[in-house]
Structures are given as C-alpha cells and as structure tokens.
Amino acid sequence: MEASSATSSERLKELGSAVIWRLLLKYSLPAVVGTVVMAVYNIIDSIVIGHAIEDPNVVSGIAVTFPVMNLGTALGMLIGAGAATRVSIVMGQNNKRQAEIILGNSVQLTVFIGLAYISLFAIFITPILKLFGASPNSLPYAREFMLWILPGMVLMNLTFSYNNVMRATGYPGKAMYTNLLGAGLNVILAPLFLFGFKWGIKGAAIATDISMLVTAFFVMSHFFKKDVTLHFVRGTFRLDWQVIKSILYIGMAPFLINVAGAAINAIVNNSLVHYGGDNAIAAVVVFNRFVTIFVMIVIGVCQGMQPILGYNYGSGRYDRLFSTLRLAIVTAVCVTSIGSLLGAFNPRVIASMFMTDEDQILCAINCLRITTITFWMVGFQIVGTNFFQSLGMAGKAVFLSLTRQIIFMIPMLLILPPRLGLDGVWGCYPICDFVAALVTVVMLVVQIRKIKSKKLAIVS
C-alpha cells in the first residue's frame, strides 16, 4: 500500500517539476488520441451511413442530429470538465479529501442530468429536430437515429466526465486506452450492422450504444480500485451544495460552448435550408466532420494542458504556467493551420469521403473553401478559452466561448446571407473566427500581466 501511495504522489509531483514539453506531450498525446477517437464515433457513422444508404437525404438527416447530440455532450461536459479542473486545483493544494468529495458528487450529477435530458429528448424529439432544421425529407432519418442513440448518451457522459478526471489524476495513458477500446468496437460494429445485418440507420446508433457501454464500464471500474491516485470513498457521495456549485461554475464554460454551438447550428441549418436546401445541410455535415478532427486534437492538447495549469496555478508556480500556455498555443495553431490548408486545396477529396451525390459534393467543396480561410486561428482561440477555464476563471472562459459562437455569429447571419445568399452563410465562419481570435489576444495579455503582477507582489 505504501508503494502505491508513493507512486500516486509521484504522479502529481511531476506536474510541478517535470520538463514542460515532455509533460505536455505525456498528458496531451493520450488526450489527443482520446478526443479524436470520440470524434471518430460520429465520423464513422456519417461515412458508413452516407455510403450504405443510397438516399441522399440520409446525410441531411444525420446533419440535424448533430446539434441535438451536442446538447447532450454539453451537459456531460458541464460536470466532467468542471470536476476535472477542480480536482487538479485541490490536488495542487494537497487536499485529497476534497478531491474525493468532488469525485463522489460528480457521478451522481452526471447520471441524474443524463437521465433527465434523455427523457425530455425522447418525448419532444420531433419538434426538436424540426427546430434544428429537419425537412420533411430528412426528418424520418434523423428521428430514427436519435431514438436509437439516446440510451447511449448518458454512458457517453460518464465516459467523458471520468476520462477527464482519470487524466487529471495522473493516468493519461489509461484514459486514452479507454477511448481506443470504444472506437475499435464502433469501427467493427457499425459496418457490420449496416452492411451485414442491413439494419439501416439504426444500426449505426446501436453500434455506438454498445461501444459506449463497454467504454463506460471500463472507465468507471478504474475509480473502484483502491491503489489508484483518486478513487471512490465511502461517505463522499452525499451531495454537497458548495462542491456542486464549484463543479458547475467551472464546467459552465465548456457547457455554454456546446449549447451555443447547438443554438448556432439550429440558426445556421435553418438559414441553409432557406438559401441552399438539403444539399447545403449535407455540405455542413462535411465541414463539421472535417474540422472536428482538428478541433478535437486541439481540445486534446487543452485537456493535457489543464492538469498542468491547474496544479501549477494552485501551487503558485507561474513560470511553468506561462511556459505551458506558450507551447500549447504554438501546437494548436500548427494543427488548425493544417486544417485550413487541406480545406482550401483538397475539398473534393474530403467531400467524397462522406457523400456520393455530385450536387452535394459540389456544394460541400464551395463550403470548405470559404469556411476554412481563417480556421487556422481557431486553435489559438480554443487554447485561450481553456486557459481561463483551467485557472477556475469561468466567467472569462464563458465570455470567450460566446464571442465566436453567439456574440459575433448571430449578427453576421443576419447581415451576410440576405445580401450574398448561401455564400453569405459560409462567409460568417471566417469572419467570426478572426474577430474572436483578436478578442482572445486582448484578454490573454491582460490576464498574464495580472498574474505577473501578483507574482511580483508575492516576491516583494
């Protein structure tokens, strides 16, 4: 038992002592694999469904389910991201008991919220899908897919929440293997159910449900082992309002990012139906699925960055804080720059992966060429937002989250499409990315100066 305790202690101490680039690589690489694998779930569904079912309306049907699923993911992130950040900070303050209480409270919150939103979605699924842009042609496909995938969404929330905590407590590799397990199953089961069993669109949903069941079991079993850094302890499951507030306060930033994304998707989808019809809806599937890969890589870097920032901020080691931030920004911008280049120069190849109808492909090509012009800036904006979240500054993180998704996008959608038509809808994306990045620069510079002033005050 002493050996296990020593190992757990060493896992946390390295956050405050190891070489930054090696530490960020150690924590980010598994996180990147994990987040990309999570994205692969939906990408596999899109690719397999797009080629297994001949009706082109099926691609549009899947498109309108994305924002609905994002709402479910947002509720999972509300707990998972908040719990992971709070655990990192209190562990940096050597308060393991408080971390155990956070762990116990978060599992109840995740299950309760998951069951609540699944019930509401099941009851109101048809009007919800219509709100998010489902047309009479695409609605049957969207409704069937959502009704079959709903049971697996609470399992997805558990997996996401506790993967974050697992990573934050010194097990980035194990968190990665958890996601790889689920993705591997989905890669096997989705084609089997669609092409082999001929189950149609519900086959892709069932494949995802089974994969998430196995993954959730694997990740939750980790926290029942007494020799890990942080595990479930009797007496920590009773809900503590102060703990709940601290989790929800920090988790509010990523929650609002996803809620805002879902809201914008609803507005965008309705604009696309008006100016471009179902082909435009199908085109946005290609854009969303393509950029998701790069965004998820950046989010993985941020997840690897989070425990390093939280621990060193909690222990007052600000030089390590800034070094980690700089390295994360450079990495993220390089990643999203690759996405910009591929979107500009290889749009047909990308579109053909998801669809076979030539009219849809041509629409997607135009979409990619316009929307990815300033996508290279998105990596910086995501890291900046996560910097504030990792330090527990939820208000600032929420504001930055809303700049790109709501504050700038909605006015652009009201101004550009009436003048430029469908190209105006696509043009909103690069403009909002550019302006949001500028706002992030200003807020980061101001915050870094405040932290440096605090450090000087402590030294003097």
Side-chain angles (χ1 to χ4, degrees):
M1 190 69 181
E2 290 180 3
S4 298
S5 299
T7 301
S8 298
S9 178
E10 288 169 4
R11 288 181 186 276
L12 294 174
K13 285 182 179 179
E14 71 173 358
L15 293 172
S17 60
V19 177
I20 292 296
W21 72 266
R22 290 179 180 171
L23 193 60
L24 187 60
L25 181 64
K26 177 180 178 179
Y27 275 76
S28 291
L29 185 58
V32 166
V33 173
T35 52
V36 170
V37 163
M38 293 297 287
V40 165
Y41 278 106
N42 290 329
I43 291 173
I44 290 172
D45 288 342
S46 300
I47 292 174
V48 173
I49 290 170
H51 289 273
I53 302 175
E54 294 182 0
D55 188 348
N57 291 310
V58 72
V59 181
S60 304
I62 289 296
V64 297
T65 67
F66 296 157
V68 182
M69 292 180 67
N70 281 343
L71 286 176
T73 302
L75 289 162
M77 294 180 76
L78 176 64
I79 309 303
T85 300
R86 285 299 304 156
V87 164
S88 293
I89 293 174
V90 299
M91 292 294 266
Q93 297 167 344
N94 294 315
N95 191 347
K96 186 177 180 181
R97 178 60 180 176
Q98 186 67 13
E100 292 170 346
I101 294 173
I102 293 169
L103 187 72
N105 274 241
S106 59
V107 69
Q108 293 195 69
L109 286 174
T110 301
V111 173
F112 175 77
I113 291 176
L115 293 176
Y117 79 73
I118 286 173
S119 300
L120 287 173
F121 282 2
I123 295 170
F124 300 106
I125 192 61
T126 298
I128 289 173
L129 289 171
K130 288 182 178 178
L131 177 66
F132 282 101
S135 69
N137 294 327
S138 62
L139 180 60
Y141 291 113
R143 189 174 186 280
E144 182 179 11
F145 183 78
M146 281 305 305
L147 288 176
W148 281 97
I149 207 167
L150 277 176
M153 291 181 70
V154 69
L155 299 171
M156 189 178 295
N157 290 162
L158 281 172
T159 299
F160 180 85
S161 296
Y162 282 88
N163 240 15
N164 280 340
V165 177
M166 186 187 293
R167 187 178 301 109
T169 52
Y171 297 89
K174 194 170 185 179
M176 175 186 71
Y177 299 141
T178 301
N179 284 328
L180 283 173
L181 174 65
L185 279 173
N186 205 36
V187 167
I188 296 170
L189 295 178
L192 176 64
F193 292 168
L194 270 86
F195 291 105
F197 295 172
K198 307 294 184 182
W199 283 356
I201 198 170
K202 73 177 182 182
I206 294 171
T208 300
D209 290 340
I210 294 173
S211 301
M212 291 312 304
L213 175 63
V214 174
T215 307
F217 175 80
F218 186 82
V219 72
M220 294 305 293
S221 66
H222 167 85
F223 293 98
F224 284 95
K225 298 176 181 177
K226 293 185 178 180
D227 60 343
V228 298
T229 305
L230 189 68
H231 58 86
F232 293 123
V233 177
R234 185 177 299 175
T236 60
F237 293 94
R238 188 171 63 181
L239 294 178
D240 183 318
W241 179 238
Q242 293 302 318
V243 171
I244 293 172
K245 281 202 304 184
S246 70
I247 292 172
L248 297 181
Y249 178 72
I250 296 177
M252 193 60 65
F255 168 73
L256 288 177
I257 291 173
N258 280 270
V259 170
I264 285 299
N265 277 334
I267 297 171
V268 168
N269 284 350
N270 281 283
S271 295
L272 292 175
V273 168
H274 180 72
Y275 293 104
D278 284 335
N279 283 348
I281 292 288
V284 88
V285 174
V286 176
F287 167 70
N288 283 332
R289 285 297 173 251
F290 171 67
V291 299
T292 292
I293 290 291
F294 301 96
V295 169
M296 284 301 180
I297 292 173
V298 174
I299 289 176
V301 172
C302 291
Q303 288 183 356
M305 172 186 76
Q306 180 267 316
I308 305 171
L309 292 182
Y311 186 92
N312 285 285
Y313 183 69
S315 58
R317 300 175 186 178
Y318 301 134
D319 54 333
R320 295 177 61 80
L321 188 80
F322 298 138
S323 295
T324 304
L325 175 63
R326 284 194 297 270
L327 184 56
I329 287 174
V330 170
T331 304
V333 171
C334 288
V335 169
T336 48
S337 295
I338 294 172
S340 282
L341 292 172
L342 290 175
F345 296 108
N346 293 282
R348 175 170 284 276
V349 174
I350 297 165
S352 297
M353 291 175 60
F354 295 89
M355 51 185 57
T356 57
D357 183 82
E358 183 61 21
D359 289 338
Q360 288 185 343
I361 289 174
L362 290 174
C363 188
I365 289 172
N366 186 49
C367 166
L368 286 169
R369 283 176 173 162
I370 296 174
T371 54
T372 56
I373 292 172
T374 56
F375 179 67
W376 62 273
M377 296 181 175
V378 172
F380 169 76
Q381 208 267 343
I382 294 174
V383 171
T385 301
N386 278 268
F387 173 77
F388 289 105
Q389 179 191 325
S390 298
L391 271 54
M393 301 175 183
K396 294 177 181 179
V398 168
F399 173 74
L400 283 179
S401 303
L402 296 180
T403 53
R404 178 171 174 263
Q405 300 274 28
I406 296 290
I407 298 173
F408 302 138
M409 181 63 90
I410 290 179
M412 287 297 100
L413 285 169
L414 294 175
I415 295 170
L416 294 183
R419 292 167 173 77
L420 301 176
L422 183 58
D423 283 350
V425 181
W426 303 139
C428 293
Y429 288 91
I431 292 173
C432 293
D433 290 343
F434 175 75
V435 180
L438 290 182
V439 174
T440 305
V441 168
V442 173
M443 290 188 63
L444 269 181
V445 169
V446 171
Q447 189 60 49
I448 288 171
R449 287 178 178 174
K450 287 182 179 180
I451 294 174
K452 287 182 176 179
S453 299
K454 180 180 178 181
K455 180 181 178 181
L456 289 173
I458 293 173
V459 172
S460 60

